Amino acid sequence: MSPLNAADPQKLFIYRFDHPAQELSQFLQDRYQLKGDVLVEALERRITVNGSRPAPGFEVQTGDQIEFLHLRSDEAAFEGTPLPLLYEDEDLLAISKPANLPVSPSGRYYFHSLAILARERFDEPDLSPLHRLDLETSGVLLFGRNRRARSKVQQLFAKQDMDKTYEAITLAPVALGPISGDMIPAEGSKIYSKQVLIPSRKPLSLSIVEACEPWGPYFKVQIKPVTGKTNQLRVHLAAKGAPILGDKKYHPDESVYLEWFENRNIQALLDRLVLPRQALHCARLAFNNPLTGNYLEINDHSPGWPALINPLKDL
């Protein structure tokens, strides 16, 4: 595919479709959030299926190869504050991750993922995130500036040698101490990616609740994930009857998530969610730095998290 506009950065996505047959236009709406004139233009000029331009109303089949020329202008621009720098040395860099930005490029977020934005912000094409935070989670995000840093420090996460402290606002109190078990798909749930925690003799997930205090009508929890499973803290706290405030997927009423998934209108759900995003924040990373031999502690005291949760105390 030839470039359409040299001033609009672009990325060619190659995607093997491994789902039941679906109209191509619906696939583009679901995966890349393309709508209206942008969707029409993409179908006419920027899509091929198995090397050919699709006809109007084309249905993509299991096994088809889709090539889509994605433009930066397809994405909603990031309008938050610049990425606040928390720490840097010759090997590592840490920023305060804003909420509602993905760490890595995926789906409709490519140019406006933190991995790409950080490379642009600090003019370092080799900069790479060393771990991940959920889309809506804010807080300390650590990057490696070179291959050596990526190799050495990522091992700390894999070996559970990274001391991570999170803060959350929950709907109910939770007892101090460990939360452990195996996380499995929630049988019978209409939310396909929802998980539940089940007991296990050799648990694959472990978190430790270190503090819990009243926070207006809610509770402020300090919790450390020992393992690093996807959505672990959200699943663990929900399993203890203390789901995170603003968490759509683990809200006690599943209709909240299902309505959001269908309409993507967060404003219509604020009477039940209270917050426009889940109240979860990575407040601290601490570790023995294998690159220097020194202990390193990185804290995120940037104003975004207090601005989100402090008004709750007065409710």
Side-chain angles (χ1 to χ4, degrees):
M1 295 183 184
S2 58
L4 301 174
N5 180 354
D8 193 354
Q10 51 197 249
K11 173 71 176 180
L12 181 64
F13 291 154
I14 301 176
Y15 182 87
R16 177 184 167 85
F17 187 80
D18 287 325
H19 307 284
Q22 181 183 28
E23 189 167 325
L24 180 60
S25 61
Q26 188 62 53
F27 166 77
L28 292 173
Q29 290 179 67
D30 294 343
R31 184 171 177 83
Y32 299 110
Q33 304 298 301
L34 301 185
K35 298 177 182 179
D37 291 343
V38 175
L39 175 61
V40 172
E41 185 270 339
L43 286 166
E44 291 178 349
R45 303 184 62 196
R46 296 192 272 128
I47 296 283
T48 64
V49 180
N50 302 325
S52 301
R53 296 284 186 191
F58 179 86
E59 276 201 351
V60 62
Q61 306 292 321
T62 304
D64 282 349
Q65 179 170 289
I66 302 170
E67 293 193 3
F68 168 45
L69 191 61
H70 175 76
L71 307 179
R72 187 172 195 138
S73 59
D74 289 337
E75 303 178 20
F78 172 54
E79 298 178 352
T81 57
L83 309 179
L85 182 64
L86 301 176
Y87 172 83
E88 67 173 328
D89 61 28
E90 63 181 10
D91 298 302
L92 300 172
L93 180 150
I95 65 166
S96 176
K97 175 193 175 297
N100 298 315
L101 275 180
V103 172
S104 300
S106 63
R108 63 190 174 107
Y109 296 103
Y110 180 82
F111 295 103
H112 293 99
S113 65
L114 281 167
I116 302 299
L117 290 173
R119 289 170 190 168
E120 296 174 347
R121 160 79 165 79
F122 299 102
D123 194 23
E124 296 187 40
D126 292 332
L127 198 63
S128 296
L130 301 181
H131 59 119
R132 65 179 301 277
L133 298 174
D134 285 348
L135 174 69
E136 294 187 5
T137 302
S138 58
V140 183
L141 189 67
L142 190 62
F143 288 79
R145 286 180 141 155
N146 50 60
R147 182 179 298 177
R148 176 171 169 264
R150 291 192 291 272
S151 173
K152 293 287 187 180
V153 178
Q154 280 183 324
Q155 289 183 36
L156 300 181
F157 288 96
K159 294 178 179 179
Q160 301 175 14
D161 289 332
M162 181 68 66
D163 186 6
K164 300 168 284 187
T165 302
Y166 284 71
E167 293 180 355
I169 304 298
T170 61
L171 293 173
V174 61
L176 305 190
I179 303 174
S180 64
D182 292 346
M183 293 164 48
I184 64 170
E187 186 177 352
S189 173
K190 294 182 179 180
I191 304 173
Y192 77 96
S193 58
K194 188 175 183 178
Q195 299 181 84
V196 294
L197 188 70
I198 61 170
S200 173
R201 291 183 178 180
K202 296 182 179 180
L204 298 176
S205 67
L206 172 64
S207 304
I208 299 174
V209 178
E210 294 194 321
C212 179
E213 62 176 306
W215 199 261
Y218 308 109
F219 297 85
K220 185 179 181 183
V221 173
Q222 183 174 296
I223 185 169
K224 289 188 174 185
V226 179
T227 53
K229 303 296 183 182
T230 301
N231 296 167
Q232 177 175 311
L233 297 181
R234 299 164 64 189
V235 175
H236 280 195
L237 289 169
K240 293 300 180 179
I244 295 172
L245 186 67
D247 189 343
K248 298 177 288 295
K249 187 182 294 185
Y250 292 95
H251 192 280
D253 180 359
E254 283 197 352
S255 69
V256 170
Y257 178 87
L258 296 172
E259 183 178 332
W260 171 82
F261 188 83
E262 178 70 22
N263 302 310
R264 306 286 171 153
N265 182 2
I266 197 69
Q267 296 300 318
L269 298 169
L270 285 181
D271 59 331
R272 286 176 282 174
L273 286 171
V274 181
L275 296 177
R277 59 100 161 179
Q278 64 197 28
L280 184 62
H281 177 75
C282 180
R284 173 181 172 273
L285 290 181
F287 55 100
N288 291 315
N289 188 346
L291 303 167
T292 64
N294 298 325
Y295 179 76
L296 178 59
E297 180 175 329
I298 305 170
N299 293 280
D300 187 349
H301 299 302
S302 53
W305 176 243
L308 179 75
I309 68 170
N310 283 351
L312 299 171
K313 296 180 75 173
D314 298 325
L315 294 180

